[in-house]
Amino acid sequence: MSELAFFGHIIDGVEVESESGARFDVWNPWTREVWAQAAEGTAADAERAIASSRKAFDEGPWPRMGRVERAAAIHRLADLMEERADEIARLDTTNMGKPFAQAKHDVARSVWNFRFFADHQRDHVGEVFPMDSGHHSYSEFGPAGVVAAISPWNFPLMMASWKIAPAIAWGNTCIIKPSEDTPASVTYLGRLAIEAGFPPGVLNVINGYGAPAGSTLTGDDRVDRVTFTGSSQTGKMVMASAATHLAPVSLELGGKGANIVFADADLDNAVYWAVEAIFRNAGQICLAGSRLFVQSSIYDEFMTRFVAAAEKLVIGDPFDPATQFSSLASKRHFDKVASYVESAQALGGRVLTGGVAEDGSWVVRPTIIDGLALDAAPYCEEIFGPVCVVNRFEDEAQAVHLANDTRYGLNAMLFTENLSRAHRVASKLRAGTVWVNCFFIRDLRTPFGGVGDSGVGREGGNFSREFFTEPKAVVMQIDRKG
Ligand code: TXE
């Protein structure tokens, strides 16, 4: 066992074991071997982290630092991440099986999350409201306090950085609990924060399971904000737990993204993005285009091209540069996705391509299914894997109706070369983000979040500022009247 890597907790500037000494195994889903161990956090470990972050907030330099100095510290961390990009990407690829090139892309986006929020905080512009009464008022954005961040396994580093970056940029201290499936890159980030000279407690990392490690964080009244990405079901538990001490929550939950292809679309572009939208990261993306709607007049042609493109994806070892598609992130997740594929077949769905690899690996090949009833579970529920369910529509109204017929509402895509249709349909879709003729492109100033079962609240730009600060109104007399 001694050759296994180890990922401890980062508490108060030091990497430590759990107080109990307990560890859990960390798997490589491609080789299906244990390659590391991580500290298994108990309630006592989480409480130590909370106490450390509380002290760092109440007494430490971080919230009191000038905005320029704090931004510089965060840029130092981003510099270190850039220097070690290969090493970090290797951790995510080993830990959850994503192709190395995609893991490198995630590191670059994570670096950008830190740089963006550092600058956004440093350069933000306040608001002043001149008042007719002889006063003026202005808003001030002070840090909220201790932030508990709970992140998932599909983009281990990137989702964590999306939470940590705005939290610490606005002067909060933060405790991150990565998914138990993927502790590696976030723990490494915690090590880099020490190296970058962050004061102890500004960024603590607690490894372990949802309960007790995560639930201790969300339920503790020393925590002022809870930001969570994960399943809708766990999101409800997190919200209930945070409600016991009235901590505001930001929840980014599941999705079943609609991808609508109109007959007037540029089909090369639409096929390219339809493949990206459901097969990138083996479909383990909350934003995946997992429900595809194609206009009847082009259905056969589009499907022929889409199936051919899916079959061209190179499946293999995620470290092989030729690989575009690899295994699912864990055995547990493989079993879930495989059972949806089996039930789709049992429910009369036609598997046009793909299916479960029968070689003992945790691979589900790029899978496209049509012919499912609108209430079939694989059609309605989040599969979170490389499984696209397809349906056809006759006109714009039917496309919008089908796309909106879901409890989720994180995102949607539409492909058309008709400008008026693009705007008209985008505005009718019930979703937090709509991509027109593209997918996965983000501007960090825009709101990000979902409707319905896809979440609560928005983050990004000023939306993150509002969540991670306590906005305050200051009213000031200018003219003494009377
Ligand atoms: O999610 P969980 P899981 C969806 C996807 C996937 C399913 C299950 O459909 O198949 O969820 O995945 C922590 N208090 N998404 O089981 O349970 C947990 O330790 C506090 C979509 O991994 O939601 C992990 O760090 N925390 C999604 C995180 O919550 C708790 C990404 C997510 O785990 C907790 C991931 C508790 N009581 C899964 N219980 C997306 N929106 O991108 C668990 N956790």
Side-chain angles (χ1 to χ4, degrees):
M1 294 298 255
S2 59
E3 74 279 10
L4 296 181
F6 175 67
F7 300 96
H9 310 300
I10 309 274
I11 303 178
D12 223 33
V14 183
E15 185 164 353
V16 292
E17 293 264 7
S18 283
E19 268 182 13
S20 66
R23 295 174 165 201
F24 62 94
D25 288 338
V26 181
W27 289 77
N28 174 331
W30 174 251
T31 62
R32 304 190 299 287
E33 286 165 350
V34 172
W35 69 284
Q37 289 195 316
E40 184 180 330
T42 59
D45 297 311
E47 279 166 12
R48 260 194 311 151
I50 296 168
S52 150
S53 289
R54 188 74 255 169
K55 186 157 185 277
F57 185 80
D58 292 340
E59 300 167 25
W62 191 256
R64 290 155 195 90
M65 204 178 262
R67 62 201 166 81
V68 174
E69 196 185 344
R70 201 160 54 223
I74 295 173
H75 278 292
R76 257 196 322 275
L77 174 64
D79 292 342
L80 288 175
M81 290 169 72
E82 260 169 359
E83 275 172 30
R84 316 278 170 81
D86 278 7
E87 208 167 330
I88 305 174
R90 262 199 299 279
L91 294 177
D92 270 355
T93 292
T94 309
N95 204 169
M96 62 80 62
K98 70 172 68 203
F100 185 65
Q102 291 180 24
K104 282 286 293 274
H105 179 82
D106 292 357
V107 176
R109 280 180 75 153
S110 306
V111 167
W112 181 238
N113 284 339
F114 281 106
R115 296 205 189 284
F116 171 84
F117 285 109
D119 294 350
H120 184 253
Q121 173 274 153
R122 186 192 58 205
D123 301 336
H124 89 281
V125 178
E127 302 151 316
V128 179
F129 305 93
M131 298 168 72
D132 290 345
S133 58
H135 302 75
H136 77 205
S137 55
Y138 60 90
S139 39
E140 202 184 83
F141 297 93
V146 176
V147 173
I150 297 181
S151 57
W153 45 263
N154 55 334
F155 290 92
L157 181 75
M158 194 166 94
M159 290 313 310
S161 66
W162 171 245
K163 298 175 180 310
I164 298 166
I168 62 174
W170 285 102
N172 302 288
T173 57
C174 181
I175 307 154
I176 176 94
K177 194 205 84 62
S179 166
E180 55 273 33
D181 290 327
T182 53
S185 57
V186 175
T187 308
Y188 191 92
L189 180 72
R191 293 173 189 161
L192 289 187
I194 298 173
E195 205 176 320
F198 278 29
V202 170
L203 178 60
N204 284 326
V205 180
I206 282 290
N207 279 308
Y209 295 98
S215 55
T216 302
L217 298 180
T218 58
D220 193 299
D221 65 5
R222 291 168 293 175
V223 166
D224 302 288
R225 291 289 184 277
V226 174
T227 170
F228 170 83
T229 299
S231 64
S232 304
Q233 202 187 349
T234 304
K236 288 174 193 168
M237 292 199 289
V238 165
M239 191 167 183
S241 169
T244 59
H245 55 109
L246 293 178
V249 294
S250 173
L251 306 177
E252 199 250 286
L253 309 176
K256 191 81 177 175
N259 185 4
I260 308 170
V261 182
F262 288 96
D264 59 16
D266 171 340
L267 289 199
D268 287 338
N269 189 50
V271 168
Y272 172 82
W273 284 116
V275 168
E276 277 288 297
I278 185 62
F279 300 131
R280 187 187 179 85
N281 210 35
Q284 302 162 115
I285 306 188
C286 50
L287 301 161
S290 48
R291 292 179 304 145
L292 174 66
F293 302 104
V294 182
Q295 197 152 17
S296 282
S297 59
I298 56 157
Y299 189 84
D300 290 341
E301 183 190 352
F302 186 85
M303 290 310 293
T304 304
R305 291 166 70 163
F306 181 42
V307 166
E311 288 174 352
K312 263 213 240 134
L313 290 171
V314 179
I315 306 175
D317 180 339
F319 280 109
D320 182 336
T323 295
Q324 295 168 296
F325 184 99
S326 194
S327 65
L328 294 167
S330 65
K331 173 75 165 70
R332 177 174 66 114
H333 193 54
F334 168 78
D335 288 341
K336 171 185 162 173
V337 176
S339 84
Y340 271 112
V341 174
E342 279 152 24
S343 87
Q345 284 168 298
L347 291 166
R350 274 196 316 154
V351 177
L352 304 179
T353 186
V356 178
E358 305 289 353
D359 55 3
S361 71
W362 298 345
V363 171
V364 172
R365 297 194 307 268
T367 301
I368 302 173
I369 302 176
D370 77 356
L372 281 169
L374 299 189
D375 61 355
Y379 180 90
C380 306
E381 295 171 10
E382 181 180 57
I383 299 175
F384 214 61
V387 181
C388 186
V389 298
V390 192
N391 205 340
R392 61 179 82 209
F393 64 89
E394 299 303 325
D395 57 22
E396 203 176 292
Q398 193 189 8
V400 170
H401 175 75
L402 286 168
N404 286 343
D405 186 19
T406 172
R407 294 184 60 78
Y408 293 110
L410 194 56
N411 65 297
M413 283 70 76
L414 68 104
F415 291 84
T416 176
E417 293 298 300
N418 179 321
L419 182 64
S420 313
R421 189 200 308 280
H423 287 294
R424 203 165 48 232
V425 174
S427 105
K428 286 184 182 153
L429 290 170
R430 194 172 153 273
T433 299
V434 176
W435 278 291
V436 179
N437 295 336
C438 61
F439 168 71
F440 215 47
I441 312 294
R442 291 283 320 282
D443 182 320
L444 301 188
R445 294 169 297 185
T446 58
F448 182 75
V451 174
D453 276 5
S454 289
V456 173
R458 297 290 183 274
E459 293 189 37
N462 285 347
F463 298 88
S464 294
R465 178 184 70 183
E466 251 81 305
F467 180 70
F468 288 110
T469 62
E470 287 292 1
K472 178 188 291 175
V474 180
V475 183
M476 181 149 184
Q477 187 184 64
I478 304 293
D479 284 332
R480 201 177 303 261
K481 295 240 165 104

